[in-house]
Amino acid sequence: MSDLEALAAEAYGYGFPMVFNLDEVGRFTRKGMGSLPASPFNRFSHATGLAGPKDTFVSVNNDTVYSIAQVDLSGGPLLLHVPDAAGRYYVLQFVDAWTNNFAYVGRRATGTAAGRYLLTGPGWSGEIPAGVTRIAAPTAVATIVGRWACDGPGDLPAVRTLQQATTLEPLDPDTPPPAGLPPLHDGVDGAELLFFEKLRTWMRAFPPSAADRTYQERFAPLGLLDETTPYAAASAEMTRALTAGYREGRERVEYATTHSDSPEQNGWKLTYNAFDYNLDFFETGTLNTPRWVIADRDTARIVRAASARAGLWGNHAYEAAYAMTWNDSEGQPLDGTQSYTLTFTAPPPVDAFWSITMYDLPDYYLIANPIDRYSIGDRTPDLHHDPDGSLTLRLQPQRPTDPEVAANWLPTPPGRFRPILRMYQPRPAVFDGTYTLPPITRVARR
């Protein structure tokens, strides 16, 4: 590759998380997603049920009911009110434009009593009302990802009551309407050039930490620091470089999702540090300790890109620990042409709950199945346990004929797939090696 092409590939990897993220932010305000109706900035969209195949979001969870708000603080702060959840597990996760998880409100972080919070944008220095906790957002546009534990259809009315009592309102009633995402130049054609136009526009609107602003200077030869777009009339040389860099950068991000440095255990990638790339912004509910921060910025940028691609809006592991695998116990890719077992001799150690959720490849979406089951966990009714207390799950596309096996069936897509194990409020044994995840084992054909 030429120097310019190599620089463009580097810029793609750096900018992909923000571009991918803000594309989703815009989609949520315009179209919504499945059970989440479209909602304008600074207003919650509350799902009416658990996520399913219509919720086309990367690695969407099937454990909790979502409440999501896209917030724009350019006009002034917002007051957030959360109700008394009476001990129920929930979390409101705060994500900035660069995908930093910069705050948490919920059972682990702040308890389940009612509370009031003031969400402020960059540079704000006003007076905080009495009895209100400030949460400072690093960028003017951010996302609140709310997740409410739900024990099935009968529990939905109680969740709905909590959702309706979770509200956002301007601190100042005269706050101007939110500006939202800045518009893009409409004369830029092609996916490759449009990506760099989004990156240029949104980098200017939502600057990152000081250290990353210094890093961004290296991308000046690509036009990413220009005040106006250079891509509507880019030279042939620049177009070739950006196109080649875009394609190479995209391949690198895809590779990084499956070839991370995360430790492995019986074929599982223990991605417990996949969301530790936030090095600069620590508000309510976050842990700013060496255990939960990737100190090297170059490494953090790679991890950020891979995590956005495979698990956008995922939590830090101290909130919810994730393990995922693409392969069986023999190192072979998981495939719906095969049947597999997964045996837990002891359940994952958690203070909330755990689950296994099934996703297709390459999109990491939920796929429709005959019994509308997309996850299995400790809240799944009528599972069959063996006499010794162990739990054996069956992973395959077709319903098993044995009723006891069918009770523990997690349907797979017909092709390649990747499951995720989620452990909400994990105990120390998850991280110190005391607890070992079991392998996924292929069932021999008869």
Side-chain angles (χ1 to χ4, degrees), residues 113-131:
R116 298 174 71 212
Y117 301 86
L118 186 67
L119 189 57
T120 65
W124 185 82
S125 59
E127 183 176 348
I128 303 171

Side-chain angles (χ1 to χ4, degrees), residues 19 184-185 188-199 231:
V19 172
L184 306 171
H185 193 285
V188 178
D189 296 323
E192 295 87 354
L193 293 184
L194 182 59
F195 172 88
F196 289 102
E197 172 62 7
K198 290 177 179 178
L199 181 55
Y231 308 123

Side-chain angles (χ1 to χ4, degrees), residues 140-343:
V141 163
T143 301
I144 303 175
V145 185
R147 300 171 174 90
W148 303 92
C150 180
D151 291 333
D155 195 29
L156 282 172
V159 172
R160 189 66 174 166
T161 297
L162 293 170
Q163 289 178 309
Q164 293 302 316
T166 304
T167 59
L168 285 168
E169 60 181 347
L171 176 63
D172 182 351
D174 296 325
T175 296
L181 299 177
L184 306 171
H185 193 285
D186 59 8
V188 178
D189 296 323
E192 295 87 354
L193 293 184
L194 182 59
F195 172 88
F196 289 102
E197 172 62 7
K198 290 177 179 178
L199 181 55
R200 183 197 69 82
T201 302
W202 294 340
M203 279 199 326
R204 295 184 64 82
F206 311 114
S209 66
D212 267 11
R213 287 199 294 272
T214 299
Y215 172 78
Q216 287 178 357
E217 293 175 1
R218 65 191 289 103
F219 301 128
L222 300 173
L224 287 173
L225 305 187
D226 291 7
E227 291 188 13
T228 58
T229 185
Y231 308 123
S235 68
E237 178 187 12
M238 179 63 75
T239 300
R240 284 193 299 269
L242 293 176
T243 300
Y246 173 95
R247 294 171 181 173
E248 173 65 20
R250 185 173 58 181
E251 289 181 7
R252 291 178 186 176
V253 170
E254 291 295 330
Y255 182 86
T257 63
T258 56
H259 293 78
S260 72
D261 292 332
S262 299
E264 292 193 21
Q265 190 179 84
N266 286 327
W268 292 91
K269 282 278 190 182
L270 307 182
T271 57
Y272 302 153
N273 297 105
F275 299 94
D276 295 352
Y277 44 75
N278 173 20
L279 310 183
D280 304 292
F281 308 108
F282 299 93
E283 295 289 317
T284 298
T286 57
L287 300 180
N288 183 9
T289 65
R291 174 67 180 85
W292 300 112
V293 174
I294 299 172
D296 181 75
R297 288 186 181 271
D298 289 337
T299 301
R301 292 181 187 113
I302 296 170
V303 172
R304 182 193 301 273
S307 297
R309 175 65 184 93
L312 184 66
W313 300 349
N315 294 285
H316 281 95
Y318 49 77
E319 182 69 47
Y322 309 115
M324 57 192 71
T325 182
W326 290 257
N327 301 317
D328 64 19
S329 59
E330 299 177 354
Q332 297 301 308
L334 295 169
D335 195 289
T337 60
Q338 305 293 327
S339 178
Y340 304 89
T341 59
L342 175 61
T343 300

